Amino acid sequence: TIRKTEVAAGEAGGITQHIGAYQIEREGRKITFLDTPGHSAFNKMRSRGANATDIAILVVAADDGFMPQTDEALRYAKEAKVAIIVAINKTDVKGANIDRVKLQMQERGIPSEDWGGDTITVPVSALKGDGIENLLENILLQADVLELKANPKAPASGVVIEAEIEVGRGSTATVIVERGTLRVGDALVCGPAYTKVKALFDDKGGQVKSAGPATPVKIIGWSGPPDAGAKFKAVKNEREAKGLAEENAQALKKQVVADAGAPKDTSIDALFASIAATQKKILKVVVKCDVYGSVEAVRGLLEGIKSDKVGLEVVAADVGLVSKNDVLLASTSGALVIGFNTKNENGVPAFAKHHGVTIQHYSIIYELADKVKEALADLLEPELKEVKLGGAEVRATFPIAKGFVAGCLVTEGKITRNAKARVRRGREVVHESSIATLRRFKDDANEVRAGLECGIRLDGFDGYEQGDLIECFEIQKIRASL
């Protein structure tokens, strides 16, 4: 609606949606909006901790209230530590309940101004355009309170919103200038990518010569697509930009090698800590519950499971049915989905099977805790325990076509064919492998018990001597404990 009114105000050109950011003018001041619904870059930006915005506008439908995706957006805004304005939309529809939304805001720790909090709340109707002007005024007011300023005369720098490889245009990046003024011909560097700006396009697809602070523009002509959420800066010339980009690329390679190699701190403690950290396995979980109290309880319970050998990370914890989005999140982060007092949305089980994601449902909290502890224990390598099966003493050696066989008397337990065995001479272990041949008289035997004589040959060993002891054992795997 904001964009449409802007076009209606006589701006040239239709609006191209591909840029993900747009700018409008109010009372002689510019406001840049960053479009986030379904914005692929938003997750990337969040993961890189790039705080591209100063104010987050959380749009909540008056009839639906806070939905899972609203809570997700709120979580991103809180993580980025930006000011939040709540726009309560659809105030004109049947079933709209503004007070319920304000109550939900209270529960989430962002109380509305008229409920004694400090979150600006504006009722709007995007369909009719009601309250939009009020919302824009509040944005400008909030900007004054936050004293948002930037220097247009400094060398340009800012953040990449999204980058892609376009047919016929090569690598392009949509950026927001955070300080300084960006001009055509500027040399820019962003991580391992660089460019000499060939052309700038504004949010309406029109070509522009320059872009000041907080202006979104698309830059054509990068050496490669820069990372979404990464910072760019202007340098003296293209040669310097290329040099810096190459240095950044080298540094990235070194970082990867260093991460894979030895730790930087070379003290013994640091070395052991580093080894422990790399060896520590982590169970990742996505939690869905019926109510907020359950989310808090389950999350607290899971994070309270402590173990030195294995870690647990709650990737996300939310209220509602287990959705396909949860499955996708679990799939990308290699997590397990746990539902507590909730069900799956339609089609989710098949979708999860396709993505190789496990979904587990519980209604008793301690049962959930036990199963998660079991899942954590399953991540650990089982502890190996050697169990002695039997022993035999070599009395004589006999040559055969392929080497030698030891004629033995089984002194304890039993000797089993194909079991692991070692030859002991005094205190020294001469050879260890498995029993390849086991015979009673001239027949093959599967096992020979104590008190009986037999012929034994170990895999790959022929140097038996009278008096050698052959020990037969098996390795048992015992489930590791936390």
Side-chain angles (χ1 to χ4, degrees):
T1 303
I2 293 170
R3 292 176 114 171
K4 277 188 196 132
T5 44
E6 207 51 32
V7 175
E11 296 225 351
I15 285 178
T16 48
Q17 293 285 345
H18 59 252
I19 188 163
Y22 62 95
Q23 196 174 56
I24 66 156
E25 200 164 309
R26 266 296 166 284
E27 299 164 20
R29 297 164 69 183
K30 292 191 172 81
I31 308 172
T32 298
F33 287 91
L34 202 61
D35 249 349
T36 58
H39 207 289
S40 60
F42 205 55
N43 293 334
K44 273 191 186 171
M45 281 165 56
R46 190 177 99 263
S47 66
R48 291 179 165 273
N51 303 330
T53 58
D54 303 297
I55 300 168
I57 299 170
L58 199 60
V59 182
V60 187
D63 54 347
D64 291 335
F66 273 76
M67 301 293 277
Q69 60 268 37
T70 328
D71 285 321
E72 207 171 287
L74 174 62
R75 193 166 74 240
Y76 297 162
K78 281 183 171 172
E79 278 174 20
K81 294 185 173 62
V82 295
I84 295 170
I85 292 178
V86 174
I88 304 178
N89 192 19
K90 299 188 184 175
T91 46
D92 52 337
V93 301
K94 193 179 167 193
N97 186 341
I98 293 176
D99 281 348
R100 185 178 65 142
V101 174
K102 289 182 179 176
L103 181 66
Q104 289 176 324
M105 287 169 63
Q106 195 90 18
E107 286 167 1
R108 285 158 178 73
I110 49 162
S112 167
E113 274 186 330
D114 54 347
W115 282 39
D118 47 15
T119 307
I120 296 174
T121 311
V122 187
V124 296
S125 163
L127 202 63
K128 292 183 176 174
D130 300 343
I132 297 289
E133 288 300 325
N134 188 14
L135 177 65
L136 298 174
E137 275 167 28
N138 274 298
I139 291 170
L140 293 174
L141 183 72
Q142 188 76 319
D144 289 338
V145 171
L146 295 171
E147 295 185 355
L148 303 174
K149 290 185 176 67
N151 178 5
K153 293 192 171 70
S157 63
V159 64
V160 175
I161 301 303
E162 57 189 347
E164 54 190 322
I165 297 172
E166 288 183 39
V167 181
R169 275 182 168 182
S171 297
T172 68
T174 299
V175 304
I176 284 191
V177 182
E178 290 184 325
R179 82 189 277 270
T181 302
L182 178 63
R183 294 181 176 85
V184 173
D186 281 358
L188 307 178
V189 62
C190 178
Y194 72 94
T195 180
K196 183 178 185 202
V197 181
K198 312 277 187 297
L200 294 174
F201 291 90
D202 64 10
D203 55 322
K204 296 173 191 65
Q207 263 189 288
V208 290
K209 288 278 182 281
S210 66
T215 308
V217 281
K218 176 169 274 200
I219 302 172
I220 311 290
W222 288 87
S223 59
D227 284 329
K231 302 275 185 185
F232 73 86
K233 63 174 185 180
V235 291
K236 219 167 23 196
N237 52 37
E238 195 175 359
R239 199 171 76 230
E240 190 184 336
K242 188 177 181 181
L244 282 170
E246 281 168 4
E247 271 174 38
N248 291 342
Q250 288 301 112
L252 274 175
K253 275 185 195 159
K254 276 186 190 159
Q255 184 64 42
V256 170
V257 173
D259 287 348
K264 289 156 198 64
D265 183 350
T266 51
S267 71
I268 293 294
D269 291 348
L271 184 65
F272 280 124
S274 161
I275 290 168
T278 52
Q279 287 176 346
K280 193 170 182 178
K281 294 193 171 174
I282 290 180
L283 176 70
K284 295 184 175 179
V285 230
V286 173
V287 176
K288 285 306 271 278
C289 300
D290 55 342
V291 291
Y292 266 91
S294 302
V295 174
E296 294 301 326
V298 172
R299 189 176 199 135
L301 179 86
L302 295 179
E303 287 172 350
I305 299 174
K306 292 278 178 276
S307 167
D308 302 333
K309 307 173 197 167
V310 62
L312 188 143
E313 183 188 329
V314 179
V315 180
D318 233 321
V319 172
L321 299 175
V322 176
S323 67
K324 289 184 179 178
N325 276 351
D326 299 324
V327 173
L328 285 175
L329 178 63
S331 171
T332 49
S333 55
L336 162 79
V337 180
I338 290 180
F340 181 69
N341 281 340
T342 182
K343 295 185 173 72
N344 297 329
E345 281 181 5
N346 287 343
V348 164
F351 190 70
K353 193 175 177 184
H354 175 69
H355 284 276
V357 171
T358 307
I359 302 175
Q360 295 177 353
H361 285 279
Y362 300 98
S363 54
I364 303 164
I365 199 154
Y366 54 80
E367 195 180 292
L368 183 153
D370 292 344
K371 289 287 188 216
V372 169
K373 282 177 185 164
E374 278 177 28
L376 280 168
D378 287 342
L379 282 183
L380 295 173
E381 295 295 329
E383 288 166 11
L384 303 178
K385 185 183 175 189
E386 187 180 303
V387 178
K388 189 172 179 182
L389 296 175
E393 190 184 329
V394 178
R395 296 285 172 92
T397 58
F398 306 104
I400 53 165
K402 296 177 188 165
F404 285 88
V405 165
C408 306
L409 172 70
V410 182
T411 51
E412 59 175 320
K414 62 180 181 180
I415 303 293
T416 311
R417 190 161 51 162
N418 295 333
K420 291 190 176 299
R422 59 172 73 95
V423 179
R424 217 179 257 285
R425 192 167 295 157
R427 289 188 173 183
E428 188 189 346
V429 175
V430 184
H431 178 75
E432 188 173 311
S433 60
S434 57
I435 294 174
T437 310
L438 181 63
R439 288 196 168 168
R440 274 279 289 144
F441 305 114
K442 291 195 172 172
D443 300 327
D444 281 338
N446 281 332
E447 67 173 47
V448 180
R449 294 187 172 272
L452 300 174
E453 292 185 329
C454 60
I456 299 174
R457 180 169 187 268
L458 268 69
D459 221 1
F461 184 68
D462 290 313
Y464 308 100
E465 288 181 12
Q466 213 171 331
D468 284 353
L469 290 175
I470 294 177
E471 285 177 6
C472 179
F473 61 94
E474 68 177 4
I475 303 288
Q476 282 185 354
K477 288 183 177 180
I478 298 168
R479 189 178 190 168
S481 64
L482 295 179

